[in-house]
Every structure is written in C-alpha cells, then in structure tokens.
Amino acid sequence: IGDCWLLAAIASLTLNNEVFCRVVPSEQDFGSDYAGIFHFQFWQYGEWVDVVIDDRLPTKDGELMFVHSAAGNEFWSALLEKAYSKLNGSYEALSGGSTTEGFEDFTGGISEWYELDKAPSNLFKIIQKALKAGSLLGCSINITSSAETEAITSQKLVKGHAYSLTGAEKVDYQGDEEKLIRIRNPWGQVEWTGSWCDKAPEWDCVPDEERERLCNQSDDGEFWMSFSEFLSNFSRVEICNLTPDTLASDEVHKWSMSVFDGSWRNGSTAGGCRNYPKTFWTNPQFKIQLDEVDEDPDDDDDQCSFLVGVIQKNRRRQRKMGEDMHTIGFAVYEVPDEYKSQTNVQLRRDFFMTHASSAKSETFINLREVMSRLALQPGQYFIVPSTFQPNKNGNFAIRVFTEKQADIQVIDVDVDAKLEDEEVDEEDISNRFENLFDYLAGEDAEISAFELQKTLNKIMSTRDDIQTDGFSLETCRNIISLMDKDGSGKIGLVEFKLFWNKMQKMLKIFKKMDADQSGTMSSHEMRMALEEAGFTLNNILTQILVARYADTNLLIDFDSFVGCLIRLETMFRLFKQFEQDGDGLVEMDLFQWLFLCQR
C-alpha cells in the first residue's frame, strides 16, 4: 500500500524500548482476559491520542497483506499499522510519506534531516547534541533504481536501508583527533568492513581506555566508522528530537518546547508566501524572545539555537475529498525597535515591503511538516508560517524547540474601536439638504427603513465607480437602529444628516482601499479598510466578517461594506452602553440580552 516509510519508522521504534512501550502499551496479550481488542498511542499535533482497534486484520490466501513479521505468531506490527491507518482514516491514506512523519507520531518529537553531500560544517556537533538530548537518529544510502533496494556494497553497507545512528565520539588517533560515528543495522548483522570496523587495525592506535569503552568485537550489527567516510558513503541523516514529555529519564538534556495551534483561512489569514506582498502580512504571526545563548565554547558568536516546525493537521484524512498536502514554509523577522516593548502588535504590510527576513525555512515543500534548525543573535523575532499560495484553507500547529528557555506567544491584536461622536446642529444644515430630506421623508418628516432602502439604491444606481447589488432591507434597518436616538424606528433630519456624513466617510475609505479601482474590495483590502475606519479586529473576527460579507470570489461591494461597518459600530456602542466599570466585561439580565439581540 505504499507505506514503506511507516515500516522504516516502526523498525526504528524498536530500538528505544521506553518510547516503544509508550506507543505499544505493555500487558496486552492473548491470555484469559483477551477481549479481541488492542490499543495504541500516537502523538497528534500536541497531544497523545489513544486508538482502540479490534483484532481483525486484512489477509489474502491466509497471509497478512501488509506489514507483517517473519515469525508466524508475532502480530504487534500489523496491529500497530491498523491502528495508525484508523487514525488517518484508512489504509489507503498511508500511501506515500516520509519516515520522519512516523518518527514524530511515535515520539511527539520534531524531525530534521540533512543531505550529506551538502552537510553543514557543524553537523558532527549537531549529531552529538542530538544524541545527548536523547533524540532518535537514522541514516541511509540513496538508491538510483528499485533494483538497488537493499543491495549490499563491497564493504557491507546496505543501500536503500534504514540504519540507526547511535554514537558520535572524538578519539586520540596517532596524536590527532579523529571523529567517529557509531551506526547500527536493525537486522542485527551485516556490518561495515572498512576502517574503524570492529576488528580494524585503527583501534590498535587508540589509547586502551578509549578502545575498551568504545570497541565491541561482536557481530551485533553495530559498528564504528570515521565521520569523513560516513559523509562519503551515506546520503542522508534524519534526527527526531524528542519532546520533554517523551522520556522520563533525567540523564539526557531536554529541549524546551512550545506548541501553538493556528489556521489559514481563505480571504483572511491565508496570505501565501513572500511572493504575494499584498497579502503576506495577513498570515498568523508568532513572537519569540531569545535571551539565553548556547553553551558552546567552540563558537565565537553568541547565538541562540532553536528548531521551528510547521505541521499541517489532518491532511491525510482529507484525501478522500480530493485534498492533499499544501506546500508550506515559514519566515523569521527581527522585531523593529519601536515594537519591542509592545504586546499584541502585528507586523503590517509596510514592514514586510521594506524588511528582509532574518531566517526562513530552507524551502516550501508539500510534506506534512517543514522544519529548520536556526541560530540567531539574542533578541525578539516574529515567525510567520504560510502556505506557498494565498487563500489555501488549513489548520496547522507550530512547534518551537529551544536549547534554553524562550518566551513564545501568539500575536493577535486587541479588539477595539475608535468611535467618533459627531454632532450636527440643525441650523447648520443647508437648505438644499433639508429640501432633499423633506422630499424623501414625506408627510411624517421621518425616513423609515423602506424609504431609506429605496433612496440609497436609487443614488447608488447612478454611480459607475462602485459596485453594489443593492442595499438590503436588513442593512437599512441596522442603519436606522444605529442612528435612531428616540426609539421611533425612523430617523429625522439631524439623524439622516449624521448618517449621510458617516456614509461619505465610508465611501472615501472604500475608494481609497479599492486599489485596482474595480468598484469592489478584496477581503484583504477590507481588513485595511476596517482599520482605516477605526476598528481593530483579531484574526477570528476577521474570518467571521469575511465569511459573512464577502462573495464567492472573496470580494466585498459597497453595500456589504456599509452593512459591515454599521453592524460593527452598533455592537461596539451597545457594549460600551452596558459596560459598567470600563473593565471589558458586561453583565446583563435576560431582558437586556433579548434587547441587545433585537438591535
């Protein structure tokens, strides 16, 4: 079914008994209490999930069809695969993937990988740190065709095969320092026969104490080789850094981990990558404070190392709906000085137009997770995760692993509104405007919602610079509700003049934000228009407004814009009316609540 990536992860899982028992809980057997069910635990986006399955496994001609053991009485791997397929929706959903995806769901860790033909100069140090932290490491040799799968080289290395990397040491060799890597073949046999193998003469030139500590002469599948030969013979290293809750032992150095949930929403928070400067700034933003530098005496620069991973949620489950992985990545920006002392301040479009990123993911890729190891000077930074193209719906989790404690927070603005209390003196109203009002109002000298709707639509029909499909009766009733001061359900001359002034301001903002002069605003332009009108709204409220007022093409016409602003102003003013102590809280009885809902 194309889940060899999962099989490789399962094989590596057996090398760490503590982690294995977390995924495959012990004390499950076929004894007297056997009830035909099993349970397994997998990490999913920040929490451990218990998956219960029955013992029915897919077979053909009496043989297990998918993952199985050579032993006829060993079923844990097949049951584990079934539980994992249930977690992802089906066996079919497991087709295609990376070993690191399985690593992470078995450990809750965060994975990174390095192609050895372009390995960083400090890779050996990275491997040492990862081993000290209790991380799971693997390595492999690429194949150029399926015929090379598990082909054995002249020095007994297996191509297309998953090895475990279990040690990294420096030894004194003939007066010089030699870097060594210890590797394990999960088969338990077939070992490297080149230099530094179990019986190689190089060990005779190593101090006795180091040789006794490191060298094992048994054919157990584990062997040493020089780091330089490792780089020339192997193709890739994968590292799964464990989260603090994965291992209970205090003997390993733990990473400090923070995880936050987020979402990209079409038309509001799915801004795409930096290639789309008009919308990139609308993506979710996360702020990280790096204060403590690494404990690395070999480094001349004081830097803070950390890992950033952005992981897409539940994309395999959506394959049956024709969905697949988005192409995702992230960028990191240093916080400008004027924002460093402020909280809940998002970087805006102008900033991204004039500032380059301090770091970014190596590439945008259509894997479940994109991850990068970064090192920056102490300071404050914004992390901006995004899909490659804008307007792609999806949920994600962002994880940040730091060697030292770091303060990380979700950035979202505080909801607020700057409302002007404009006053109009009846004596200042021009005769021309008063005559217009008398004509529209009729004998009762007041304008109802029906009369207002007819008036606005007639006026808007004469304009070709803005688009509208007509003011709805609901919008007109909301206008009356906001402007009606005496509770008559209609508006008089002064109230109509106040509304007229208000609408002129709305029209000015609308035309200013309509950059392409199409007569409509995009949903992202609407976000800036709301700010221009004095409303500061967080991501959730922005998503709600886009869903309510934008059309299927994510465009907002003028009547929808007016309806949105009127509704927002009404709600803010009603809240202020019921707020007693200015503490941002409102307490009301049933009558007040019903009254509020009717407004």
Side-chain angles (χ1 to χ4, degrees):
I1 58 175
D3 66 345
C4 59
W5 58 275
L6 179 63
L7 176 58
I10 292 174
S12 297
L13 179 65
T14 64
L15 303 178
N16 189 316
N17 190 60
E18 186 176 0
V19 177
F20 179 86
C21 291
R22 177 74 182 261
V23 178
V24 188
S26 56
E27 300 180 0
Q28 298 189 86
D29 53 36
F30 299 98
S32 58
D33 295 331
Y34 178 62
I37 63 172
F38 297 91
H39 75 106
F40 299 84
Q41 289 189 324
F42 304 105
W43 181 90
Q44 288 288 282
Y45 321 120
E47 62 180 0
W48 287 89
V49 178
D50 200 75
V51 179
V52 179
I53 59 168
D54 60 35
D55 60 2
R56 187 177 178 87
L57 295 171
T59 61
K60 183 178 182 180
D61 301 327
E63 301 289 338
L64 291 173
M65 291 180 64
F66 306 135
V67 172
H68 59 276
S69 169
N73 63 346
E74 186 175 344
F75 296 99
W76 69 267
S77 59
L79 292 165
L80 173 62
E81 182 189 39
K82 177 176 180 176
Y84 196 68
S85 68
K86 179 179 179 180
L87 181 72
N88 287 280
S90 66
Y91 278 99
E92 185 181 16
L94 303 185
S95 177
S98 65
T99 302
T100 55
E101 188 174 337
F103 271 165
E104 291 181 349
D105 287 346
F106 293 160
T107 65
I110 187 168
S111 295
E112 55 182 324
W113 57 89
Y114 298 92
E115 301 297 336
L116 297 184
D117 59 353
K118 49 183 179 181
S121 58
N122 63 336
L123 179 61
F124 187 80
K125 182 182 294 184
I126 291 173
I127 291 173
Q128 282 187 314
K129 282 188 174 182
L131 290 166
K132 183 181 179 182
S135 304
L136 300 182
L137 287 83
C139 54
S140 59
I141 303 172
N142 290 342
I143 59 175
T144 56
S145 68
S146 58
E148 287 188 319
T149 303
E150 296 189 350
I152 300 177
T153 69
S154 59
Q155 293 180 306
K156 296 299 180 68
L157 293 178
V158 186
K159 293 185 176 182
H161 181 57
Y163 285 88
S164 299
L165 203 160
T166 59
E169 297 282 348
K170 295 178 181 179
V171 298
D172 181 6
Y173 176 63
Q174 295 181 338
D176 292 326
E177 184 181 76
E178 183 78 29
K179 296 177 181 177
L180 301 180
I181 292 290
R182 186 174 64 203
I183 299 170
R184 179 179 178 183
N185 185 343
W187 288 348
Q189 54 186 352
V190 186
E191 294 186 12
W192 160 256
T193 58
S195 59
W196 295 100
C197 67
D198 286 355
K199 298 180 182 180
E202 288 82 3
W203 289 106
D204 296 334
C205 301
V206 172
D208 294 343
E209 182 179 343
E210 287 188 330
R211 182 173 64 251
E212 291 177 4
R213 179 173 64 90
L214 301 177
C215 190
N216 185 346
Q217 300 293 333
S218 63
D219 184 19
D220 58 357
E222 195 166 53
F223 55 87
W224 291 92
M225 66 190 306
S226 70
F227 185 62
S228 59
E229 287 192 299
F230 169 73
L231 293 176
S232 61
N233 282 275
F234 281 81
S235 307
R236 193 182 202 198
V237 169
E238 297 179 347
I239 303 174
C240 185
N241 301 290
L242 304 186
T243 59
D245 68 333
T246 305
L247 295 178
S249 172
D250 292 327
E251 297 178 0
V252 298
H253 167 73
K254 304 284 185 67
W255 289 79
S256 176
M257 189 270 289
S258 299
V259 58
F260 296 96
D261 294 323
S263 63
W264 297 297
R265 287 294 175 266
N266 191 0
S268 56
T269 56
C273 70
R274 182 69 184 266
N275 295 349
Y276 302 89
K278 291 183 179 180
T279 58
F280 177 72
W281 68 276
T282 64
N283 285 300
Q285 299 177 16
F286 301 83
K287 186 178 180 181
I288 179 171
Q289 173 79 43
L290 300 173
D291 291 326
E292 299 183 60
V293 299
D294 301 343
E295 295 179 359
D296 267 329
D298 295 339
D299 288 343
D300 295 330
D301 296 330
D302 290 335
Q303 292 190 316
C304 305
S305 295
F306 61 107
L307 301 175
V308 177
V310 179
I311 184 169
Q312 306 183 63
K313 288 186 174 183
N314 303 315
R315 298 304 298 178
R316 288 188 179 275
R317 283 183 169 271
Q318 296 176 345
R319 282 185 173 179
K320 57 187 177 183
M321 279 83 79
E323 298 283 346
D324 211 332
M325 298 292 179
H326 290 315
T327 300
I328 62 172
F330 64 85
V332 182
Y333 295 84
E334 186 172 8
V335 177
D337 292 338
E338 61 268 27
Y339 286 175
K340 288 184 177 178
S341 61
Q342 301 182 44
T343 59
N344 283 348
V345 177
Q346 288 182 312
L347 298 180
R348 317 307 285 176
R349 176 179 170 180
D350 291 344
F351 173 85
F352 294 112
M353 296 287 282
T354 56
H355 290 75
S357 61
S358 300
K360 58 185 178 180
S361 54
E362 184 176 347
T363 183
F364 276 74
I365 192 168
N366 61 340
L367 292 178
R368 186 179 73 162
E369 182 170 35
V370 60
M371 193 289 313
S372 291
R373 174 186 289 268
L374 306 172
L376 295 174
Q377 297 291 323
Q380 295 181 10
Y381 299 88
F382 276 94
I383 304 172
V384 185
S386 71
T387 57
F388 184 78
Q389 294 180 318
N391 297 327
K392 297 291 185 181
N393 287 321
N395 297 322
F396 67 87
I398 181 170
R399 295 188 290 164
V400 181
F401 284 54
T402 54
E403 292 196 10
K404 298 288 187 176
Q405 287 292 330
D407 181 34
I408 305 168
Q409 64 183 101
V410 181
I411 296 299
D412 207 346
V413 297
D414 295 323
V415 177
D416 196 10
K418 298 177 181 178
L419 303 176
E420 297 180 358
D421 293 317
E422 185 181 358
E423 294 185 2
V424 172
D425 193 329
E426 188 170 352
E427 295 179 357
D428 296 332
I429 299 176
S430 67
N431 292 332
R432 183 179 178 184
F433 189 87
E434 188 171 353
N435 291 335
L436 172 64
F437 174 79
D438 291 338
Y439 171 76
L440 298 174
E443 295 182 358
D444 62 354
E446 286 191 314
I447 294 179
S448 68
F450 301 97
E451 292 167 329
L452 182 62
Q453 181 187 28
K454 182 179 179 180
T455 299
L456 292 178
N457 287 334
K458 185 176 181 179
I459 294 173
M460 291 300 115
S461 65
T462 63
R463 303 189 64 123
D464 56 7
D465 57 338
I466 56 175
Q467 291 188 24
T468 172
D469 54 5
F471 280 81
S472 68
L473 186 59
E474 178 187 3
T475 297
C476 293
R477 282 173 170 161
N478 287 336
I479 294 171
I480 298 293
S481 177
L482 175 63
M483 308 308 301
D484 178 19
K485 303 302 182 183
D486 57 8
S488 65
K490 299 180 180 181
I491 54 176
L493 173 60
V494 173
E495 295 163 332
F496 183 66
K497 178 60 176 177
L498 286 169
F499 165 68
W500 191 261
N501 293 345
K502 191 182 296 291
M503 194 172 76
Q504 297 308 306
K505 293 178 181 178
M506 295 179 188
L507 181 60
K508 183 178 180 181
I509 294 172
F510 186 87
K511 289 179 66 63
K512 177 182 177 181
M513 296 303 168
D514 178 17
D516 59 0
Q517 298 182 345
S518 63
T520 61
M521 287 192 302
S522 71
S523 57
H524 296 288
E525 289 172 336
M526 181 184 179
R527 187 168 183 167
M528 293 187 291
L530 291 173
E531 293 183 0
E532 186 81 8
F535 296 100
T536 306
L537 306 179
N538 60 21
N539 287 336
I540 293 178
L541 286 174
T542 302
Q543 292 170 13
I544 293 173
L545 293 180
V546 169
R548 178 167 183 175
Y549 292 101
D551 64 15
T552 55
N553 296 317
L554 299 176
L555 299 176
I556 295 95
D557 58 14
F558 183 64
D559 60 278
S560 296
F561 179 62
V562 172
C564 178
L565 290 185
I566 291 295
R567 187 65 175 161
L568 279 174
E569 183 173 346
T570 300
M571 298 306 296
F572 271 101
R573 289 193 182 278
L574 284 172
F575 184 89
K576 294 298 183 183
Q577 179 181 333
F578 284 103
E579 187 182 26
Q580 299 295 324
D581 303 320
D583 56 0
L585 299 174
V586 167
E587 181 178 342
M588 62 181 66
D589 58 28
L590 178 59
F591 170 77
Q592 291 172 320
W593 169 250
L594 293 174
F595 171 77
L596 178 65
C597 292
Q598 295 308 310
R599 295 294 297 270

